[in-house]
Amino acid sequence: MIIDVIAGARPNFMKVAALFAVAGDFPSVSLRLIHTGQHYDAAMSDVFLKELELPTPHAHLGVGSGTQAEQVSAILTRYTAQVCTDRPDACVVVGDVNSTLACAIVAAKEGILLAHVEAGLRSFDRSMPEEINRMVTDRLSNVAFVSEPSGIANLAREGMPLDAIHFVGNTMIDTLLRMKRKAEGLRQHEELGLSPRAYALFTAHRPGNVDDPAMLDCICRQLEWLASQIPVVFPVHPRTRRQLESGGLWERLRGQPGLKLLEPLGYLESLALMMEAALVVTDSGGMQEETSSLGVPCLTLRANTERPITVESGTSTLIGNDWELFRRRVHTILTGPRDTQECNIPLWDGLAGRRIVQTLGRQPVLDR
Ligand code: UD1
């Protein structure tokens, strides 16, 4: 069975890596990496391919930047051309980025078996582009691989047949568990002159946070306050950097004592800094999950989450716009004892990729 595995944007690479890591154990299945090129910078793409030991892409669609409509339509056109000349038996899409949506539409229209990894997650907030991508992708999928129990309930409520839903665990956590030792060896905090558990890691890139000048200004003021409490490391996403520069906030942050602004980090560097941080402040869905697995406190700069397990059983607290809560939580984390309990989220055990490839190998190929 020939399976196209789609990756396009930064958070996709960690998820697909979990499938390629075990593919050799399933000789009846042949995985091919298709890179859409949604993220194309060395720091946003190439470093991940290398660190995560991903194969050279079978095809690179080279779509690059643009509006969401431009990105989705370019991927639709190019992936359609790709499958028309080099048809797979199945297509696996992961997560919720524009590449996920676009390739799901192509597979569904071309009658190719479509499987969605990280299916069923819902923030119930349609102002997020990712929520629309998740809803449409799930509706089109033949097979749904679910990472947490809320995904099963959401898909069942939306009418997905129960035998199409497979609760397999979390591929991002597979990769984290596989790479943890290697990341530890980097001692990345020392490179930056920081002591373990004596700094905060900060990231923000969601349009709802960084594209709105008033919100971005507010977040920057909280960031400055945080840097007055504990050293802060902030790897800046290209979208965020552009908004900070155009809003005149970049120079202000650069002058802030206690705050280190960095280029986007590679996977191992980022994981290494996360593991040793006293706390993480972020709007990234992936980091909510990774901190929950690592037992690192996470203050999430969002009012909702499509990953409720990270709040119920993990280490994430939703902050939304409640800056009083933010400061109280920072204070508690910095002054209280650290809870070092192991992660007990069901099936976040490093075996999700294995369950997925095994299940795919059993799927009947669709008639053309
Ligand atoms: C995308 C995903 C988001 C994910 C994030 C991780 C969608 C709808 N959003 O958002 O879910 O959390 O990736 O990074 O797919 N840029 C570069 N170099 C690159 C890539 C992007 O400079 O390699 C710049 C471009 O100017 C681009 C901007 O960053 O316009 C935003 O990139 P884009 O892919 O549109 O969305 P992200 O904000 O990265």
Side-chain angles (χ1 to χ4, degrees):
M1 181 184 226
I2 295 175
I3 303 177
D4 279 358
V5 179
I6 311 297
R10 190 168 62 173
N12 292 163
F13 301 115
M14 306 67 147
K15 294 169 195 169
V16 302
L19 309 190
F20 285 96
V22 299
D25 297 343
F26 299 91
S28 66
V29 165
S30 167
L31 302 187
R32 319 192 294 199
L33 179 62
I34 308 291
H35 192 327
T36 65
Q38 177 178 343
H39 285 176
Y40 46 84
D41 281 353
M44 300 293 284
S45 165
D46 303 0
V47 66
F48 294 92
L49 293 177
K50 191 159 170 267
E51 289 183 331
L52 299 169
E53 296 153 8
L54 280 162
T56 305
H58 176 72
H60 198 301
L61 308 181
V63 297
S65 280
T67 63
Q68 296 200 43
E70 287 163 346
Q71 250 174 8
V72 170
S73 53
I75 301 169
L76 274 176
T77 310
R78 294 184 195 185
Y79 188 50
T80 302
Q82 164 70 25
V83 302
C84 287
T85 53
D86 195 1
R87 187 183 167 92
D89 298 309
C91 171
V92 174
V93 294
V94 300
D96 55 18
V97 302
N98 290 334
S99 303
T100 311
L101 168 71
C103 292
I105 294 174
V106 173
K109 281 187 177 279
E110 295 298 324
I112 297 165
L113 184 94
L114 173 65
H116 185 203
V117 173
E118 219 183 72
L121 299 183
R122 296 288 180 272
S123 64
F124 304 103
D125 174 0
R126 291 197 190 187
S127 70
M128 291 177 71
E130 293 85 356
E131 181 73 353
I132 308 290
N133 294 347
R134 288 189 281 264
M135 290 165 63
V136 177
T137 302
D138 283 338
R139 191 70 188 86
L140 297 176
S141 294
N142 305 100
V143 186
F145 292 115
V146 173
S147 57
E148 63 163 81
S150 70
I152 306 173
N154 293 333
L155 290 172
R157 200 180 44 251
E158 291 172 13
M160 184 143 202
L162 291 182
D163 60 0
I165 304 172
H166 303 266
F167 180 31
V168 290
N170 190 322
T171 52
M172 193 170 244
I173 301 305
D174 286 11
T175 299
L176 179 149
L177 296 174
R178 181 162 67 92
M179 294 289 171
K180 220 166 141 179
R181 291 270 161 275
K182 218 169 176 179
E184 252 162 14
L186 287 184
R187 308 194 67 75
Q188 192 65 28
H189 57 281
E190 286 178 5
E191 298 278 316
L192 297 169
L194 299 164
S195 306
R197 299 209 177 174
Y199 64 91
L201 177 62
F202 181 96
T203 77
H205 73 277
R206 295 216 164 267
N209 279 336
V210 306
D211 290 0
D212 171 0
M215 186 63 179
L216 186 59
D217 186 66
C218 195
I219 288 176
C220 285
R221 275 188 275 118
Q222 301 307 321
L223 176 57
E224 285 162 343
W225 172 81
L226 183 64
S228 72
Q229 307 296 305
I230 185 169
V232 181
V233 185
F234 177 12
V236 188
H237 185 283
R239 170 194 287 279
T240 311
R241 176 154 185 170
R242 216 181 33 237
Q243 301 295 10
L244 288 170
E245 284 174 344
S246 65
L249 293 162
W250 180 251
E251 285 307 318
R252 197 173 103 195
L253 289 185
R254 266 177 28 129
Q256 172 68 36
L259 176 61
K260 284 181 202 293
L261 300 178
L262 306 178
E263 295 294 323
L265 296 172
Y267 178 73
L268 292 172
E269 292 170 321
S270 170
L271 178 56
L273 282 179
M274 210 184 314
M275 285 163 77
E276 296 293 355
L279 76 152
V280 170
V281 181
T282 188
D283 61 7
S284 149
M287 283 171 81
Q288 286 170 61
E289 295 185 334
E290 289 167 332
T291 49
S292 287
S293 171
L294 293 167
V296 175
C298 178
L299 303 183
T300 301
L301 299 176
R302 290 179 50 189
N304 54 46
T305 179
E306 61 287 342
R307 296 165 163 85
I309 198 88
T310 61
V311 177
E312 291 152 12
S313 309
T315 58
S316 168
T317 304
L318 295 180
I319 297 298
N321 274 332
D322 189 345
W323 302 116
E324 267 310 302
L325 173 65
F326 175 71
R327 291 183 183 208
R328 268 203 320 277
R329 287 291 299 140
V330 169
H331 180 76
T332 310
I333 293 163
L334 297 186
T335 54
R338 170 90 154 250
D339 183 3
T340 49
Q341 219 183 311
E342 288 288 297
C343 170
N344 59 6
I345 298 176
L347 299 190
W348 286 20
D349 56 2
L351 299 173
R354 188 165 289 283
R355 295 185 187 105
I356 289 170
V357 180
Q358 195 166 37
T359 308
L360 285 170
R362 290 197 214 108
Q363 297 299 315
V365 175
L366 300 184
D367 290 334
R368 288 185 194 200

